[in-house]
Amino acid sequence: MPNTHEADPRIERRSLQVALRLVAYFLIYLLLDWASYLYPVVPLGITPWNPPTGVSLFLLLAAGIRYWPALFVAAFFADLIVRGAPANVAALSVAAGIITAGYTIAARLLKRHLGMQAPLQSTRDLVVFLVVTTVTSLVVAVAFVGWYWRIGMVAPEDFIADVVKYWVGDMNGILVLTPALFCLLELRALRRALGRLISLEVILQFAAIVIGLVVTFVFSDEYPSKFFYIVFLPLIWVSARWGLPGSALGLLVIQLGLIAGMNVANYHSATFVELQLLMTGLCMTGLTVGAMSSHRSRLEASLQEKQTALSGAQQLASAGELTSALAHQLNQPMTALSSYIDACQLLFEQRDVDVVRMQDLLGKVAAEARRASGVVSRLRDFYQRGVTDIQKVQAGPLLDGVVQMLRRNADRLGVEVVVSQSASSRILLVDPVQIENALQNVLQNAIDAVTPNNPDRRIVEVAIESAEDAVAIRVRDTGGGVTAEAARHLFEPFNTSKVTGMGMGLVIARSLVRANGGDLVLETSDATGACFVMRLPAA
Amino acid sequence: MNRQKVYLVDDDAAIRDAVRTVLELSGVSAEVFASGEEFLTRLRPDWSGCVLLDFKLTGMDGLQVQREILDRQIVLPVVIMTAHGDVATVKAALKAGAFDFLEKPVERAQLLDVIHRVFDLDDRTRREVAQRDELRKKAGRLTPRERQIMQHLVEGRQHREIAELLDISPRTVEVYKSRMMEKLGARSLADVIHMGVRLSDGAI
């Protein structure tokens, strides 16, 4: 079978990938084990911080459970190389087997219960992760220390202390490294995070962590755990601000800082164990805050996405409404046009053609043709504006611009436009062109409504008011108001009380405002006038 | 009787003007109204002709105007104008008693055809109504006896039968009959029966 000799490039690439992963894992494992070989409990070499465990768990979770034999090999050779073979080969094999079995089971449990899309991103995931790792690392610690106790390498009075040391070391190894490695895996998030590294806030956060660590060690009088709580503050800040990637990275920085501090100050080993115990608490707190913050921002993002989709659907619906409205609107001049042309023909059929009348009719024909073309160009304008481009704009200047545009027309009609801007500095999140257009329609409507009044009562009041996450623009006129019957059809196309209007102003205005995530309603209306409220999303 | 006219109701000024021009140049006089409300305020029971009604009016719509005309028991045929003759609109209009419908833009030949058919119908109904009113007036002048004789004749009875039923002589029946026919202006028994049938929805 010649096919078997031909190398399948896919299989080749996959085995290359597996080999690369294994080499990387072994190197990192040994390097970290060597680097973190501080304050070991002789002769077993139990260290108060054991980061290789975090890498092992990450390998199984990210690359697959089938990598479990690598754990055994790594643990075995690390004992040989880093710890200088504290026991015979058989004893070391059993110890490595305990570690391998424990964390393979942990990985299996986690895989079954964690969300696979973005592990550790939800608070539920994090709780599962914390519970499973706490329990399994405790079991592994008991089994590991128990094994060496059984073969006489651990004194009975040291049993509990050694279990605690081993447990804390593994826990911190996992809590500091596994989430951090998961965050590094998300390249997009990493790139975003790198982009943020230069921001002032991140520099301040980093500085706060460093200050916390410096205070911990400098003012400690041999007891660094006394001031360690100070480090909680910057970590919670980082976690709340950047979510899980922030807390993972922050924890890594703190842990490295602790190691560095311990190396410089050269404390007693018990002090380091104590610090590592506090570090476990810090890890749990930081990761929980980070996961909650990540969860919230993801919820916000999906909400935003849904809102966008919804406003798209609304736009489509209002587009359908507009199409049928404009089709009707186009049919009106066409009807008149066709009847005027009929009339011209009838006039020609008469014996003495009335030239004056004919001229009059032809003038009307032309006017109707222009009216039809006006409808078409309005339609085109609307659809050119159809795509919303949300920007941050200040409410006051936006309104001023529109009022300025209408001012001349208002002055000509003797209408006074009174603007009061109590919340003019609020930032709107809208498409300024669309909202200007909508405002223009509503204001024009109000100006038209008051024009029939006595000159002293031609007043339109515009006010910007602030709400929690919105800004309300209130347009009040002193016109005759809107009847209940008319109010029902107010936002339907072709509803107009004006001789010249086409009944589209409010329809378009509402459609535009809604496309921007706001709303336009008739708030009150009575004989003294009407009041429209345009609510717009604001920062 | 009033001269037949087209009563055009449309909220679009240009359409009102254009259609009125076409109608007037075709020899049909027209009156225009900008809304259903305006039309109904000015509507009088003795108007005759045809209402040309835009279905999609601002304010009161075409259907409401139609119902109001019916409610006032005014006999004035309605022709609906719609932008696009969608089934639902046309069905609703015809159900409410519209005579016909026209699609906008309105074609001249169709417009005039419909209007003339409506005018004819309106004419006929009015003539019939007038004739029936006339007949009723004549029937009102009959004595109870003459009315009885007419009833029996319409029901197909012979003179002798009628005489027996009313306990009078056949000769007297003949006398009542000829007086009755004279009052109604009937020239034959067939005429009497015909008149009897036409009166039959009301009392003779």
Side-chain angles (χ1 to χ4, degrees):
Chain A
M1 300 222 291
N3 273 341
T4 50
H5 296 290
E6 279 177 28
D8 184 335
R10 267 177 309 170
I11 290 178
E12 204 168 70
R13 208 163 49 224
R14 272 186 65 186
S15 25
L16 187 70
Q17 196 185 31
V18 169
L20 275 177
R21 277 178 184 168
L22 286 174
V23 168
Y25 169 67
F26 289 135
L27 279 179
I28 293 171
Y29 190 104
L30 289 175
L31 201 71
L32 280 175
D33 206 25
W34 171 74
S36 66
Y37 195 62
L38 302 159
Y39 301 101
V41 176
V42 271
L44 299 183
I46 297 173
T47 54
W49 186 42
N50 195 22
T53 312
V55 181
S56 298
L57 195 61
F58 172 73
L59 175 78
L60 294 184
L61 287 176
I65 306 283
R66 64 178 190 283
Y67 282 86
W68 67 266
L71 261 67
F72 182 87
V73 175
F76 184 80
F77 281 102
D79 271 352
L80 281 186
I81 297 164
V82 179
R83 291 179 183 77
N88 63 35
V89 170
L92 290 180
S93 304
V94 171
I98 288 170
I99 293 169
T100 307
Y103 289 110
T104 305
I105 290 168
R108 276 209 78 106
L109 286 172
L110 287 173
K111 274 219 142 168
R112 191 176 310 157
H113 293 292
L114 290 187
M116 290 314 290
Q117 282 308 101
L120 305 184
Q121 291 284 296
S122 76
T123 32
R124 186 198 147 273
D125 271 14
L126 191 77
V127 169
V128 170
F129 181 74
L130 291 179
V131 169
V132 169
T133 51
T134 306
V135 172
T136 46
S137 55
L138 179 60
V139 170
V140 169
V142 169
F144 184 89
V145 178
W147 164 247
Y148 282 115
W149 168 70
R150 226 189 97 90
I151 60 170
M153 287 181 72
V154 171
E157 64 269 22
D158 291 338
F159 183 80
I160 303 263
D162 284 355
V163 164
V164 169
K165 270 179 209 165
Y166 189 98
W167 183 28
V168 171
D170 266 17
M171 277 287 284
N172 284 356
I174 292 168
L175 294 182
V176 171
L177 272 175
T178 311
L181 288 170
F182 265 123
C183 294
L184 292 183
L185 199 62
E186 298 239 341
L187 283 173
R188 240 168 4 129
L190 181 70
R191 213 175 303 142
R192 264 211 309 272
L194 283 175
R196 281 170 187 154
L197 277 179
I198 45 162
S199 83
L200 182 66
E201 193 178 3
V202 172
I203 293 168
L204 282 177
Q205 286 170 334
F206 184 76
I209 290 177
V210 171
I211 290 168
L213 287 169
V214 167
V215 168
T216 301
F217 285 107
V218 172
F219 302 101
S220 61
D221 300 330
E222 298 288 309
Y223 294 105
S225 45
K226 201 164 67 174
F227 285 119
F228 185 68
Y229 66 88
I230 290 172
V231 183
F232 274 69
L233 300 176
L235 183 77
I236 285 173
W237 177 18
V238 171
S239 306
R241 188 69 181 81
W242 308 117
L244 202 72
S247 57
L249 206 67
L251 286 168
L252 199 60
V253 169
I254 291 169
Q255 178 71 349
L256 293 176
L258 285 183
I259 306 260
M262 288 305 292
N263 273 337
V264 171
N266 224 344
Y267 291 120
H268 188 257
S269 123
T271 312
F272 191 45
V273 174
E274 208 178 305
L275 263 184
Q276 284 303 296
L277 213 53
L278 287 173
M279 185 66 194
T280 311
L282 182 65
C283 285
M284 292 195 172
T285 312
L287 292 175
T288 308
V289 173
M292 276 162 70
S293 157
S294 288
H295 188 57
R296 205 197 55 199
S297 50
R298 254 175 319 114
L299 278 182
E300 275 169 7
S302 84
L303 204 67
Q304 188 72 45
E305 217 168 88
K306 269 184 204 134
Q307 268 173 350
T308 311
L310 205 66
S311 85
Q314 271 172 355
Q315 262 183 312
L316 215 62
S318 55
E321 199 174 273
L322 271 169
T323 310
S324 97
L326 282 156
H328 178 105
Q329 194 58 27
L330 198 55
N331 206 36
Q332 298 287 93
M334 288 304 184
T335 302
L337 193 58
S338 114
S339 289
Y340 277 134
I341 292 171
D342 279 345
C344 290
Q345 282 177 332
L346 284 167
L347 208 57
F348 267 123
E349 284 163 18
Q350 290 177 352
R351 235 179 304 143
D352 300 310
V353 177
D354 181 343
V355 178
V356 177
R357 194 158 188 206
M358 182 61 84
Q359 274 175 338
D360 173 53
L361 278 177
L362 287 173
K364 286 171 174 172
V365 166
E368 288 308 301
R370 275 196 295 275
R371 185 174 148 208
S373 109
V375 172
V376 174
S377 70
R378 264 191 294 279
L379 174 78
R380 193 195 50 213
D381 283 356
F382 180 79
Y383 280 103
Q384 276 176 352
R385 289 192 312 258
V387 182
T388 34
D389 178 16
I390 305 284
Q391 295 171 19
K392 287 184 178 174
V393 277
Q394 229 181 326
L398 183 102
L399 178 62
D400 279 343
V402 177
V403 171
Q404 222 51 55
M405 234 188 300
L406 294 173
R407 184 74 78 185
R408 204 210 300 201
N409 187 26
D411 287 345
R412 191 174 54 79
L413 297 167
V415 175
E416 192 185 349
V417 181
V418 185
V419 183
S420 76
Q421 305 200 336
S422 63
S424 58
S425 58
R426 284 292 299 266
I427 301 294
L428 300 172
L429 297 173
V430 295
D431 180 336
V433 179
Q434 291 185 345
I435 294 307
E436 270 173 15
N437 203 285
L439 259 174
Q440 199 183 339
N441 270 318
V442 175
L443 274 174
Q444 186 62 54
N445 206 54
I447 290 171
D448 289 343
V450 297
T451 307
N453 283 0
N454 288 327
D456 57 324
R457 282 190 56 247
R458 288 182 197 155
I459 300 163
V460 172
E461 289 173 328
V462 192
I464 303 181
E465 288 163 25
S466 205
E468 198 182 322
D469 54 355
V471 163
I473 298 180
R474 214 169 286 271
V475 179
R476 184 187 297 280
D477 66 53
T478 50
V482 183
T483 62
E485 169 67 24
R488 225 175 303 136
H489 303 291
L490 198 59
F491 290 100
E492 287 173 20
F494 311 118
N495 231 299
T496 180
S497 55
K498 297 172 212 161
V499 188
T500 53
M502 73 186 248
M504 289 302 288
L506 288 174
V507 181
I508 289 175
R510 174 181 266 189
S511 170
L512 288 173
V513 172
R514 286 188 172 173
N516 279 267
D519 204 353
L520 174 65
V521 292
L522 173 69
E523 193 181 58
T524 53
S525 173
D526 52 36
T528 64
C531 178
F532 285 89
V533 177
M534 185 186 287
R535 277 190 195 83
L536 297 169
Chain B
M1 195 193 285
N2 254 332
R3 204 159 76 89
Q4 286 183 319
K5 269 187 187 170
V6 168
Y7 302 92
L8 172 62
V9 189
D10 198 307
D11 52 6
D12 189 299
I15 293 180
R16 286 199 300 272
D17 183 54
V19 175
R20 178 175 42 192
T21 311
V22 170
L23 289 172
E24 283 176 354
L25 287 172
S26 309
V28 178
S29 60
E31 254 183 76
V32 295
F33 309 87
S35 71
E37 288 88 341
E38 191 197 334
F39 170 74
L40 289 172
T41 7
R42 285 170 53 194
L43 174 62
R44 291 180 42 121
D46 62 344
W47 281 1
S48 86
C50 166
V51 185
L52 202 52
L53 184 61
D54 182 28
F55 202 73
K56 200 168 179 176
L57 288 168
T58 347
M60 218 174 180
D61 69 19
L63 207 58
Q64 286 171 307
V65 175
Q66 261 186 292
R67 294 217 178 96
E68 183 63 28
I69 297 173
L70 282 180
D71 281 354
R72 292 199 200 168
Q73 296 187 314
I74 292 172
V75 186
L76 197 58
V78 172
V79 171
I80 288 289
M81 287 188 293
T82 85
H84 9 256
D86 60 298
V87 177
T89 310
V90 170
K91 208 169 144 187
L94 293 181
K95 251 189 165 167
F99 176 79
D100 209 338
F101 70 94
L102 285 170
E103 268 188 84
K104 280 177 166 183
V106 182
E107 208 182 302
R108 183 186 18 149
Q110 248 178 10
L111 171 73
L112 294 175
D113 174 61
V114 168
I115 300 265
H116 285 130
R117 276 194 291 125
V118 174
F119 278 5
D120 282 352
L121 172 89
D122 189 49
D123 250 358
R124 263 204 316 279
T125 356
R126 266 165 216 285
R127 218 177 301 129
E128 264 169 38
V129 169
Q131 280 172 352
R132 202 163 77 180
D133 286 350
E134 179 72 15
L135 195 59
R136 285 239 173 94
K137 224 157 66 192
K138 288 179 187 163
R141 289 202 294 264
L142 297 178
T143 63
R145 209 35 136 192
E146 288 161 358
R147 214 167 288 167
Q148 268 180 325
I149 303 280
M150 182 177 182
Q151 186 73 45
H152 287 302
L153 286 170
V154 169
E155 283 165 14
R157 295 196 176 82
Q158 302 295 319
H159 292 181
R160 202 176 312 132
E161 269 182 277
I162 299 170
E164 267 171 37
L165 278 168
L166 298 178
D167 201 17
I168 49 174
S169 71
R171 175 77 195 135
T172 318
V173 173
E174 295 268 0
V175 172
Y176 281 132
K177 180 187 164 194
S178 65
R179 252 191 244 158
M180 177 265 290
M181 285 175 66
E182 197 181 329
K183 278 182 183 169
L184 290 179
R187 275 164 298 177
S188 64
L189 182 59
D191 266 2
V192 173
I193 292 169
H194 189 67
M195 287 172 183
V197 169
R198 284 178 62 192
L199 282 167
S200 66
D201 23 34
I204 293 173

